[in-house]
Amino acid sequence: MKYVLLLVLLYTVVPAHAQQDCKLNINVLVVEKHTGQPLFPVVVHIDELNATYETNEKGRVELGSICPGKYNFHFHSDGYEHYAEQVTITSSTELKFKLSHIEGVLDEVTIADAREQTLLQAKDGMDSKQIAANSGKSLGDMLQAVNGVTVISNGATIAKPVIHGMHSNRIVMLNNGVRQEDQQWGGEHAPNIDPFLANSLEVIKGAASVKYGTDAIGGVILVEPAPLRATQGTDAELNLAGLSNNRMGVASAMVNHNFKKLTPLSIRLQGTYKKGGNYRIPGYWVANTGVEENNYSAAAAWRKQHYGAEVFYSHFNTNLGVYRGSHTGNEADKLAAVNSDTPLVPADFTYELKRPRQHVEHDLGKAKMYLESSLGTWHATYAYQQNFRQEYDVQRVETDRAQLNLTLNTQTFNLNLEHRQIWKLKGEAGFDGIYQENFIQNGDRVFLPNYRSKGAAAYLIERYRAHDWTFEGGLRYDYRWYEAFNPEGSKQQVVRYEYHFNNLSGTFGATKKLSDKWQLSTILSNAWRAPQANELFSAGLHQGAARIELGNKNLQPERSYNLNIESKNTLGKKLSTEISLYTQYIQNYVYLEPGADLLTISGYFKTFNYQQTNAQLSGTDLSAMYNWNAYLKSNFMASFLFARNVTAHDWVILMPADRLSLSTTYTRDISPGLKECYISADAKFVFHQWRIPANFDQVDFPRPPAGYFLADVSVGTTLEAGKQPLYMSLTVMNLFNQKYRDYLDAFRYFINQPGTNVVLRVRVPVSFNNKKSS
Amino acid sequence: MKKIVSIVCSMLIMSVILTACKKTPIDNPQPVQQELITTIRLNVTNSSGFNKSFNYKVLNGFNSSEPGIKLVEDVELLPATEYNVEVTVLNEADTPAQNITDEIISENTEHLFLHQSLPETGAGSIAFSDGNKDDNGAPFNRTVKFTTGAAGDGTLIVTLKHQPTNKNANTPDEAGGETDAQAIFPIYLK
């Protein structure tokens, strides 16, 4: 807190003479080399700004608030040579770039901008700046900055993203272009991805099966690393973070290199280490909630003009504790814990992890090749993933053994052709294959059956772009086969089950530019999801919830039909707004219905059966950005969700409450060595969730917690010592040490959410002179 | 076109190789019920030569959609009499049945037996005393003295708690921790 005051004083004492430096306006014009015709759409990527733009119909991009310096521009456009140029900018100017046409070449989105073209779907995300400002958080927690995304959590250590009320196996995560398969079906199974890998996070809200395959009912999260170096030399970046609440330290480093003697080859090495102890809620330590994580990854790419290949390998390894008091022996134990105002398990601070705890390792290996031919650009991607998950339960007898050793092996293959423009149609077609095995070790806890799954799919997506209209349509056919081996009865005889699912999904969207400042999109999309092994076969105690969940072998696939209308509007220089309205009808929506109480030797448990109904989830995400002046900016976000069980004419249980947030940032350069100093205040208000089903009290106790208000403040600056920048920031989360509980937190029965957390972050990018290049 | 074919083929071969060389037998999973308890047995003796066992047993319950099968023996004792009671804990789902009591004794600092009588006093009640202690001298109560009240009917609840937060508790709620097993015996004092 002292530091905050000190910095605030600095702001008021230091005469702020505004820097004229970073006020340059650059007009970029891109034309055809021979005819001089303006080109649109051209993707313009600027390395130093780490930003991607698209030219308008006049072939222009306007860049404001640019600092003098050297910039590497990359240009991609359908049917034109990929073009890169380094430009030194000293004053406001117009820059003209000429692209030459080549026969039979499509945009190779792979080379400089890692962002694949996605559907015209409601998209939102976080850029590298926002990711850096949230470093040290888990991926799930980080994504809460995106409007319409919330989390389902187990205290402060396990957080999973929820998009428009859907999570776990209704969301697909793409880690570096590969479907992450990490047993994401469990509420306490956080995504096994290192957020430091990400240069951008993109969230596609709403059904998106056509491009991303099955399960993408709620949406898709794309974790995209920065592209590998395209120019010679070496660069590196070091990220450090310290968090006061659980005394956590985080260090992450990345090195990129492009060889001088072997220009097509670029490599990257990256690693992260993170360790934290018990976290603190107002007044108490929370027993056994430490976390340790170490991750590393390596990537290499070989890129020639018209073909290339890349390999990527990442390893994720985490150990995390689960609050001892969240595991209760029966319904009566749970009620006693719920009715206690204080945590029933006392604790001090420690880094030590005891049972119950989890250990997860996720390995991902990927090989990708691309090739430009007369038809278009071909991509072939093969990936192998292994997820190994161990759960250490509380045991009567001392043992080193984990009570659950789950292994999930997944192989995925994708072949994709982005065909060259035919008439005014541009698009892609492809084939997807998946093979998966999930199995336990003999002697493990009875949990869910071993299963095998195979799937194949073919898809086609076409885009038609006219003057101010863009239309897009897509179709996909999926086939999925499952076999499961379920031990049943008192003799635990293995019974084999076989399932076949096949589905057609589609999407259609249109975007109209009503003016330069106003764009309107409408998207109809569809997705499906096959029931998962846990929904079909569960027959055991869910320890974290002290309840017994019973699978249903007759579940049908879920199908979702999604309509999304989005308006993006810039009103003058000061205000811009985004309004998104969505409604999604889900046929055969799988949910848990309370059943009879079950007597065991430990006493009574509530039981829940997997059932299906039809549901309709509708809502809106609103955001507005207002620039008060050159330095002061405000950003307002609101999201509302109405989730109805259509069949029962009732609300759907366990849906995120409505929320509002407002953040205001003041940014100013103070001196040449002290740039982009900012101070920001964020306020978030989450409403009480009153939309609960009529039978709520039979299902759950207590009722959803009260609404809450949270305030965060943050100060940060860029220090420039010579040519070496250093970014640092200090953030105070939950400034007022607010006691609150969140409806989607599994620990809400037992304990409050974390108290104040002071986070210090330092980021040092290092650029080496290329003389030492090998 | 040749390049494309070669790329796709090489990938296909790679995936086949990887699939072929990682063969795990997954069609015969053999999970086990962890540390299963099925039975709480009271061995009741007294100086007058009384010697009987009473069982409370629940089979199933977990890992099946069928409700547990409960077998309870009525506890018939004389009113206003002292008895020495020893609790044993068994897993009778395995053959031969496993006696888990020794395990619990070896972990006695982490466990607590609780005895409750309904009604607490008067006809059909039982008073408890002289519960044995754990290695730290805190209550463990695996062996305990019953003093029966006046003639009548009542209920006896025996609870085994794991990692209780309060070793001096008299009720499961006060004790905290996790319920490992709970037996509810009908009591007939006549």
Side-chain angles (χ1 to χ4, degrees):
Chain A
M1 202 61 219
K2 264 192 314 208
Y3 297 103
V4 179
L5 287 172
L6 192 71
L7 268 155
V8 172
L9 279 174
L10 269 180
Y11 279 103
T12 47
V13 173
V14 175
H17 40 91
Q19 290 286 316
Q20 289 309 305
D21 282 345
C22 291
K23 297 277 178 290
L24 305 180
N25 289 317
I26 307 298
N27 279 326
V28 176
L29 172 63
V30 185
V31 297
E32 212 282 335
K33 196 169 185 170
H34 304 291
T35 63
Q37 285 289 319
L39 291 176
F40 114 95
V42 177
V43 174
V44 183
H45 182 84
I46 301 167
D47 285 352
E48 289 69 15
L49 300 177
N50 202 345
T52 306
Y53 307 91
E54 202 176 68
T55 56
N56 62 14
E57 284 168 69
K58 301 186 181 88
R60 290 183 181 277
V61 174
E62 288 178 23
L63 307 170
S65 323
I66 298 293
C67 314
K70 283 185 178 170
Y71 292 94
N72 283 294
F73 285 72
H74 299 265
F75 300 90
H76 308 276
S77 183
D78 189 5
Y80 291 85
E81 287 272 16
H82 160 229
Y83 179 69
E85 191 179 323
Q86 189 177 71
V87 183
T88 306
I89 292 173
T90 51
S91 58
S92 293
T93 179
E94 175 170 299
L95 299 170
K96 193 167 171 183
F97 298 94
K98 298 171 181 176
L99 302 194
S100 48
H101 198 279
I102 48 170
E103 265 315 300
V105 174
L106 267 163
D107 47 343
E108 10 156 318
V109 281
T110 47
I111 290 204
D113 60 314
R115 297 172 46 160
E116 296 226 353
Q117 295 242 341
T118 46
L119 295 172
L120 292 183
Q121 251 170 314
K123 277 197 293 266
D124 210 331
M126 297 172 75
D127 58 16
S128 57
K129 231 179 183 168
Q130 280 171 293
I131 294 171
N134 284 287
S135 71
K137 290 184 182 174
S138 73
L139 188 66
D141 261 338
M142 205 180 258
L143 283 159
Q144 289 198 84
V146 177
N147 203 10
V149 180
T150 52
V151 291
I152 188 163
S153 59
N154 284 49
T157 41
I158 298 175
K160 305 184 70 175
V162 180
I163 306 174
H164 290 172
M166 280 176 284
H167 56 86
S168 302
N169 42 17
R170 291 191 182 98
I171 288 182
V172 169
M173 286 196 133
L174 255 79
N175 179 356
N176 196 353
V178 177
R179 257 180 91 106
Q180 175 87 359
E181 294 286 347
D182 56 2
Q183 308 176 47
Q184 57 268 42
W185 44 265
E188 65 281 21
H189 301 186
N192 306 133
I193 298 176
D194 180 3
F196 284 102
L197 266 175
N199 178 57
S200 76
L201 292 168
E202 203 166 0
V203 179
I204 294 173
K205 304 174 193 172
S209 268
V210 172
K211 170 98 185 176
Y212 300 102
T214 59
D215 307 350
I217 279 187
V220 181
I221 292 165
L222 301 154
V223 181
E224 285 295 345
L228 289 165
R229 270 188 87 92
T231 50
Q232 259 179 57
T234 310
D235 66 85
E237 186 173 281
L238 180 66
N239 272 288
L240 300 169
L243 291 83
S244 72
N245 180 287
N246 58 344
R247 302 183 196 169
M248 180 155 86
V250 186
S252 182
M254 182 185 281
V255 181
N256 292 299
H257 181 75
N258 176 272
F259 292 86
K260 192 174 173 182
K261 298 224 171 67
L262 213 56
T263 46
L265 184 63
S266 302
I267 57 166
R268 165 180 300 151
L269 294 171
Q270 179 265 350
T272 303
Y273 182 76
K274 177 170 157 178
K275 191 177 175 78
N278 287 350
Y279 70 85
R280 198 166 168 78
I281 60 176
Y284 305 93
W285 292 105
V286 184
N288 198 43
T289 49
V291 58
E292 184 176 24
E293 210 178 276
N294 60 71
N295 315 315
Y296 49 85
S297 74
W302 179 271
R303 290 181 297 214
K304 300 290 275 188
Q305 181 82 38
H306 299 301
Y307 64 91
E310 65 180 72
V311 287
F312 170 77
Y313 169 75
S314 70
H315 177 82
F316 175 96
N317 184 323
T318 185
N319 284 300
L320 46 94
V322 176
Y323 171 53
R324 177 67 186 90
S326 71
H327 280 201
T328 53
N330 63 24
E331 188 61 23
D333 288 2
K334 188 177 163 184
L335 287 178
V338 167
N339 290 323
S340 161
D341 293 338
T342 59
L344 281 186
V345 179
D348 288 320
F349 179 80
T350 174
Y351 284 102
E352 191 193 352
L353 294 182
K354 293 198 173 111
R355 292 163 179 265
R357 62 189 177 88
Q358 302 176 356
H359 168 73
V360 186
E361 288 179 42
H362 190 91
D363 290 277
L364 187 154
K366 163 184 142 175
K368 179 171 177 172
M369 299 179 216
Y370 66 90
L371 169 73
E372 287 165 17
S373 75
S374 54
L375 284 173
T377 309
W378 293 85
H379 287 271
T381 312
Y382 167 81
Y384 179 82
Q385 294 175 74
Q386 180 173 74
N387 186 277
F388 178 59
R389 177 181 190 85
Q390 289 185 304
E391 293 187 1
Y392 293 83
D393 301 346
V394 174
Q395 291 286 291
R396 209 165 31 241
V397 184
E398 279 302 313
T399 162
D400 294 336
R401 193 177 187 280
Q403 279 58 56
L404 189 67
N405 300 272
L406 264 179
T407 307
L408 176 68
N409 291 328
T410 311
Q411 295 180 70
T412 49
F413 176 75
N414 169 268
L415 179 67
N416 188 71
L417 169 68
E418 279 169 47
H419 69 73
R420 57 177 302 192
Q421 192 156 320
I422 302 169
W423 180 55
K424 285 190 172 170
L425 283 180
K426 218 183 106 174
E428 55 188 313
F431 164 86
D432 261 326
I434 185 166
Y435 176 79
Q436 202 167 50
E437 285 184 337
N438 201 356
F439 49 91
I440 56 166
Q441 285 176 15
N442 290 339
D444 278 5
R445 175 183 355 128
V446 184
F447 191 57
L448 87 162
N450 291 359
Y451 65 86
R452 260 193 209 112
S453 156
K454 290 175 194 167
Y459 58 90
L460 173 72
I461 301 165
E462 290 295 335
R463 183 182 282 211
Y464 170 88
R465 205 159 182 164
H467 178 61
D468 49 8
W469 279 94
T470 306
F471 294 101
E472 192 177 70
L475 270 181
R476 178 187 181 104
Y477 173 78
D478 270 286
Y479 171 79
R480 199 115 193 210
W481 168 90
Y482 273 103
E483 66 174 345
F485 304 93
N486 197 34
E488 290 180 14
S490 54
K491 293 244 171 23
Q492 294 285 292
Q493 288 274 296
V494 177
V495 182
R496 180 178 176 275
Y497 290 87
E498 194 175 322
Y499 292 92
H500 301 263
F501 300 109
N502 61 68
N503 259 298
L504 200 62
S505 35
T507 177
F508 181 79
T511 298
K512 170 127 173 78
K513 269 195 168 168
L514 295 164
S515 70
D516 268 357
K517 307 228 154 109
W518 192 11
Q519 180 174 306
L520 203 59
S521 310
T522 305
I523 303 107
L524 269 165
S525 55
N526 160 250
W528 76 285
R529 179 177 80 88
Q532 296 273 332
N534 64 314
E535 295 163 332
L536 296 164
F537 299 103
S538 271
L541 176 65
H542 197 293
Q543 288 187 296
R547 62 196 211 180
I548 289 171
E549 291 176 2
L550 301 171
N552 174 350
K553 298 184 185 87
N554 305 315
L555 294 176
Q556 295 303 308
E558 280 181 354
R559 280 167 212 258
S560 132
Y561 305 90
N562 194 95
L563 169 69
N564 194 312
I565 297 166
E566 213 173 24
S567 152
K568 290 186 180 177
N569 203 340
T570 312
L571 299 153
K573 286 241 172 217
K574 292 198 161 185
L575 180 68
S576 59
T577 62
E578 279 185 31
I579 300 167
S580 156
L581 296 166
Y582 61 90
T583 182
Q584 170 153 271
Y585 181 77
I586 304 172
Q587 204 183 342
N588 295 330
Y589 178 81
V590 175
Y591 71 109
L592 283 163
E593 178 75 16
D597 282 357
L598 195 70
L599 176 70
T600 71
I601 188 75
S602 321
Y604 279 98
F605 286 92
K606 282 185 186 260
T607 67
F608 288 84
N609 304 298
Y610 282 100
Q611 298 289 359
Q612 295 188 291
T613 183
N614 294 332
Q616 178 109 29
L617 279 63
S618 312
T620 178
D621 294 340
L622 315 166
S623 68
M625 204 183 316
Y626 189 75
N627 297 321
W628 301 87
N629 58 36
Y631 312 111
L632 191 65
K633 226 189 246 184
S634 284
N635 194 352
F636 169 78
M637 294 198 305
S639 75
F640 299 90
L641 169 66
F642 302 83
R644 296 291 293 175
N645 178 335
V646 178
T647 316
H649 304 292
D650 206 346
W651 298 109
V652 177
I653 202 166
L654 209 64
M655 284 288 166
D658 299 336
R659 58 203 59 214
L660 310 171
S661 72
L662 177 66
S663 79
T664 301
T665 309
Y666 182 86
T667 312
R668 197 148 192 174
D669 293 346
I670 290 181
S671 70
L674 215 54
K675 285 186 176 160
E676 287 202 18
C677 290
Y678 71 86
I679 182 159
S680 76
D682 292 355
K684 177 163 124 176
F685 182 73
V686 176
F687 290 86
H688 167 72
Q689 178 60 290
W690 56 269
R691 299 182 201 105
I692 52 174
N695 69 348
F696 186 90
D697 296 334
Q698 297 160 39
V699 179
D700 204 352
F701 175 81
R703 290 198 164 197
Y708 58 88
F709 169 83
L710 281 183
D712 295 0
V713 291
S714 188
V715 290
T717 184
T718 307
L719 292 166
E720 299 230 357
K723 282 199 163 183
Q724 176 62 60
L726 181 145
Y727 304 91
M728 61 188 295
S729 70
L730 188 81
T731 306
V732 185
M733 300 197 291
N734 192 358
L735 180 67
F736 303 117
N737 204 21
Q738 188 74 23
K739 288 181 186 173
Y740 69 103
R741 297 189 184 197
D742 187 89
Y743 179 40
L744 263 61
D745 178 26
F747 290 3
R748 73 182 176 283
Y749 303 109
F750 314 109
I751 50 171
N752 288 324
Q753 293 280 68
T756 302
N757 196 355
V758 182
V759 190
L760 177 69
R761 296 182 172 100
V762 177
R763 185 161 67 95
V764 191
V766 189
S767 210
F768 298 96
N769 282 334
N770 309 339
K771 285 167 187 162
K772 298 196 293 281
S773 186
S774 46
Chain B
M1 200 66 210
K2 211 168 103 181
K3 267 187 187 158
I4 298 164
V5 172
S6 66
I7 285 174
V8 173
C9 279
S10 60
M11 286 217 166
L12 203 67
I13 288 162
M14 200 158 80
S15 65
V16 167
I17 289 168
L18 267 165
T19 315
C21 70
K22 275 205 74 87
K23 265 284 166 270
T24 325
I26 70 160
D27 52 2
N28 190 19
Q30 288 169 327
V32 297
Q33 173 66 266
Q34 307 287 321
E35 299 193 320
L36 180 67
I37 294 173
T38 62
T39 312
I40 287 190
R41 179 177 295 165
L42 304 180
N43 301 310
V44 184
T45 55
N46 75 358
S47 47
S48 330
F50 183 92
N51 186 345
K52 268 191 182 166
S53 292
F54 304 100
N55 289 316
Y56 176 96
K57 183 167 164 184
V58 181
L59 286 167
N60 260 340
F62 294 121
N63 322 312
S64 89
S65 45
E66 301 136 43
I69 304 163
K70 188 169 73 164
L71 301 161
V72 191
E73 291 173 349
D74 295 347
V75 179
E76 290 186 10
L77 301 171
L78 294 167
T81 312
E82 285 193 354
Y83 294 95
N84 293 316
V85 179
E86 195 181 349
V87 186
T88 51
V89 179
L90 309 167
N91 171 6
E92 294 184 289
D94 284 13
T95 36
Q98 285 180 33
N99 189 337
I100 299 169
T101 320
D102 294 345
E103 249 175 45
I104 292 167
I105 293 170
S106 71
E107 302 271 331
N108 59 18
T109 56
E110 301 260 293
H111 286 89
L112 176 66
F113 286 92
L114 291 150
H115 305 271
Q116 287 170 283
S117 163
L118 292 172
E120 278 180 41
T121 54
S125 74
I126 298 174
F128 312 102
S129 55
D130 298 355
N132 72 333
K133 301 283 189 271
D134 69 11
D135 297 346
N136 299 336
F140 179 45
N141 303 339
R142 194 186 70 83
T143 61
V144 67
K145 188 189 275 182
F146 281 11
T147 309
T148 54
D153 302 346
T155 305
L156 166 70
I157 304 168
V158 180
T159 309
L160 169 61
K161 278 280 192 173
H162 187 198
Q163 298 187 342
T165 47
N166 173 9
K167 271 272 203 172
N168 295 307
N170 293 314
T171 66
D173 282 3
E174 285 170 19
E178 229 174 295
T179 303
D180 269 352
Q182 186 169 60
I184 302 167
F185 292 97
I187 300 288
Y188 299 100
L189 305 180
K190 52 189 173 189

